[in-house]
Each structure stands twice: as C-alpha cells, then as structure tokens.
Amino acid sequence: MNAYLVLPLFHYFPLDMPLRATFVGINVYSDAKIADLTGAGPDATAMATLFQDSVPQASVTQLRDEQATAESIRDALNHTIGQAGPEDTALFFFAGHGSPSHHLVPSDAEKHRLSDTAIPMSELSERLNASEAKAAVIILDCCFSGAAPARVLEDAPVARDTPETIQDLKGAGRVIIAASRDSEPAYEVERNGLLTKGLMRKLRSSEETVEVGDLMEEVSGFVQAEAERIGRSQTPVWFSFIEGHLSLPALQPGPNYADAFPESSGIQVSPAIGELSAFGIPEEVVSEWADRFPNGLNDLQLKAVNDHRVLDGKSLLTVAPTRHCLIKRLYERLAQSTGPTRPFCYASTPL
C-alpha cells in the first residue's frame, strides 16, 4: 500500500475555517474476489469524528462499506472538491483498497473490470486542478503495491499504458506525504492503517497545532517501528511544495468520537504521570511515580489507560512481592472497586 496526504498551503489551520470534508472507509466489498479489510472503516470513522469534534464548523460526510460506491464517492468528490469556493478548504480521506494501476477501489468495484468500475488517479488529479478551493487536503490510506496484510488489490489487471499516480497530484501549495516508498507496501494492523494511526497518535496527543515537518518526523519513526514489529518494512516519505511552515490542528475526541467508539469514553491522559490523579490515585503515589519516571507514561501504558481502561475501577491489580508501601496503597485503592474485573500486571514501572 502506498498512502499519501496532500496538505494545504496554510501557516495555521483555524478551527472556524470553512471546511468541506468527506471520509471514505471500506472494509467490505461486494465482489467476493476482493479481500475484505479490517481497519479501513474505523480509520475513516475515527478521522471523521475527530474533525467533527475539533473543527465544529466543518461540513463532514462519511461513507462506509456499501455506502461507498463509485457513484457516491464521485458525488462526494464533487461536493468536497468540485463545489468548494475560493474561501473553502476541501478535505477528502479514503481508506480501502488501491490497485497496482493506481485506482481507488470502491465497494462495488469488479476486480476484473477495474478500469470500468474503479476511480483512476487521473480523475482525482483533474478534480484538484479544476477546484476553486483555497486549499485541498487529500488523504489516501490505500495500497498500490505489495501483498497481504497490506491494503493492496493483488492480481488485478494492469493496463499497458502508464497510469497517472499520486505523484501527479503534486502542485503549488501542497505537501505530499506517502506512507511508504514506491517499492514498499503499507500495512494495517490492530484495526488501523499505520499512516492513519501515526497521524492520529501525534495530533491527538498535541495541545496546539503541529508543524508538518515535526509531525512527519515523529510519524515516520512510529510507522517504521510498527512495521518492524510485524516483520515488515515501511518507510514514509513526503515532499513539500510550499514556502514557510505548515501546521495541522490538534484533534481532540468529543461526543461524536465517543458515540462512534464507546469503549474509548472516560478519562483520557497524556504521558504526564500527574494526570493519573484524576482516577483517584493518591497524590503521594502519583508524585512518587512522577519522580521515579520523569519521561512519563510510555505508549503501552497510555494504551492500557486510554484504550483498555485499566484504571476505570473494573480491573484487578496483580502485585509482585515488594517492600514498597506505595504499591500496597495502590493495591488497596483498586481492591475497593466493584463490578467485573480483568487482570493487569504491575512490574517495575507504573501500570
């Protein structure tokens, strides 16, 4: 999979800016010859709801699975990009299959008739060139090369003429970010594409806008590490065609995100250990942890607290033998919880 992000020429991303946005995510395809995915739908829903919650004036449309036919995707492209005015910013997000011939594969595509049933990159390029939008943001988290578990449509027919590719979306005032080199696929793991997961991870943990160079430096390292963890190789690349700096907004989950992902509701914390006091952990315990672990919570610990909700009063703490009274006090605190329990382990670090 190659996934690309085309970003607008802005030194900032005002939260009240006129924004037209469409998010497409396809896990299920009507053609049995096209393999289903697991993370494309959640990717689109997560991005859509985060933008709804963080940019409340945005006009947001979401298409998932059977809704994301070729006709409805073209209608969305027309609404988002074609009808955008000179003061609008247009955002189009696609998560699903791509093809080696550089087509976006809608839910009703036919594998052996892709040239007739899928959306070529040349069409997207033409729409961008004709748009009056002040800025355009195009995120394509899909596959154009590789093999499973990448989001690639394998063994699809490839025309002999040279197709237009993501490279042809380049233009003044845009930044192009690719999830992988042309020779590499890009993957989805744990219900997310790695590029989308990295972007959301950084933008959700930020308290202010993030300059795109800083954003991609961190996202690139994250994607490479996550790909290596599953025994794969994926190296994001990006190209800038702007002068000055470009920043994206911090994305904060709100009611729309909570409705879409109810398991994520509840207190959310950053790496700052002091924020654990919100769960009722004694201040002296939190303070001691903060002194002992100045780098704060790591990614695994954040996931345990924010995603798996281990401190919501429904978990059982297992403690290894220790003389530290702090551990005993934390154990006593959690032992007071009621309801179903699930175990988690305390070793030499918090959580």
Side-chain angles (χ1 to χ4, degrees):
M1 173 181 81
N2 284 340
Y4 299 82
L5 171 61
V6 182
L7 300 173
L9 177 58
F10 269 96
H11 292 280
Y12 60 94
F13 199 121
L15 298 185
D16 59 350
M17 67 189 305
L19 175 65
R20 293 170 172 261
T22 295
F23 298 86
V24 179
I26 308 172
N27 279 350
V28 181
Y29 288 83
S30 59
D31 187 341
K33 298 182 179 67
I34 301 178
D36 291 340
L37 297 169
T38 60
D43 278 351
T45 297
M47 291 292 285
T49 53
L50 284 170
F51 268 88
Q52 284 178 312
D53 290 331
S54 305
V55 190
Q57 302 304 317
S59 173
V60 175
T61 300
Q62 183 182 165
L63 299 173
R64 282 193 58 170
D65 296 330
E66 69 276 1
Q67 299 173 332
T69 63
E71 181 180 4
S72 61
I73 291 174
R74 287 188 166 103
D75 287 343
L77 282 169
N78 184 53
H79 172 76
T80 301
I81 298 175
Q83 296 180 14
E87 297 301 317
D88 291 332
T89 290
L91 188 155
F92 179 79
F93 174 97
F94 178 90
H97 277 303
S99 75
S101 58
H102 288 81
H103 284 71
L104 303 182
V105 183
S107 63
D108 60 345
E110 299 176 32
K111 184 173 182 179
H112 296 296
R113 295 182 58 242
L114 281 184
S115 60
D116 297 323
T117 60
I119 299 172
M121 204 58 56
S122 58
E123 181 175 336
L124 183 56
S125 178
E126 290 170 2
R127 290 177 182 272
L128 284 172
N129 292 335
S131 178
E132 295 182 3
K134 186 175 184 178
V137 181
I138 307 295
I139 305 175
L140 303 180
D141 199 345
C142 57
C143 306
F144 300 109
S145 63
R151 291 177 179 172
V152 63
L153 190 55
E154 300 178 81
D155 302 322
V158 180
R160 291 189 175 183
D161 58 332
T162 303
E164 288 199 38
T165 69
I166 286 293
Q167 297 272 355
D168 296 299
L169 299 181
K170 294 186 298 187
R174 298 175 189 153
V175 172
I176 300 177
I177 299 173
S180 62
R181 298 187 180 116
D182 287 342
S183 59
E184 296 177 331
Y187 299 98
E188 66 170 21
V189 294
E190 299 177 356
R191 293 172 59 85
N192 287 112
L194 290 185
L195 176 63
T196 302
K197 185 176 181 179
L199 290 170
M200 289 193 299
R201 174 179 175 271
K202 176 59 178 177
L203 293 173
R204 284 189 59 180
S205 65
S206 301
E207 295 183 356
E208 54 187 19
T209 59
V210 183
E211 196 274 323
V212 71
D214 295 335
L215 170 69
M216 286 311 300
E217 182 177 352
E218 182 166 328
V219 170
S220 178
F222 171 81
V223 170
Q224 291 180 69
E226 288 293 290
E228 290 175 2
R229 189 170 63 84
I230 60 172
R232 309 284 177 166
S233 178
Q234 181 176 332
T235 308
V237 295
W238 63 97
F239 311 91
S240 176
F241 300 93
I242 65 171
E243 296 180 1
H245 298 285
L246 173 71
S247 295
L248 290 180
L251 298 178
Q252 299 299 325
N256 292 293
Y257 187 87
D259 286 345
F261 301 96
E263 69 279 6
S264 70
S265 61
I267 299 169
Q268 299 283 313
V269 299
S270 73
I273 288 180
E275 295 181 12
L276 294 178
S277 60
F279 291 96
I281 299 174
E283 289 291 345
E284 57 268 32
V285 175
V286 174
S287 178
E288 178 67 16
W289 274 349
D291 290 341
R292 292 178 60 190
F293 307 104
N295 292 329
L297 301 176
N298 61 33
D299 288 344
L300 179 61
Q301 293 160 346
L302 284 172
K303 188 172 184 178
V305 174
N306 291 335
D307 297 339
H308 297 290
R309 314 307 309 170
V310 298
L311 293 182
D312 281 3
K314 298 180 180 180
S315 299
L316 173 66
L317 177 65
T318 302
V319 183
T322 176
R323 291 176 298 175
H324 290 294
C325 64
L326 293 175
I327 305 304
K328 180 180 178 181
R329 295 169 80 172
L330 177 59
Y331 174 81
E332 291 171 347
R333 165 66 185 174
L334 293 180
Q336 297 172 2
S337 64
T338 60
T341 63
R342 59 177 182 270
F344 72 100
C345 181
Y346 178 92
S348 59
T349 60
L351 307 183

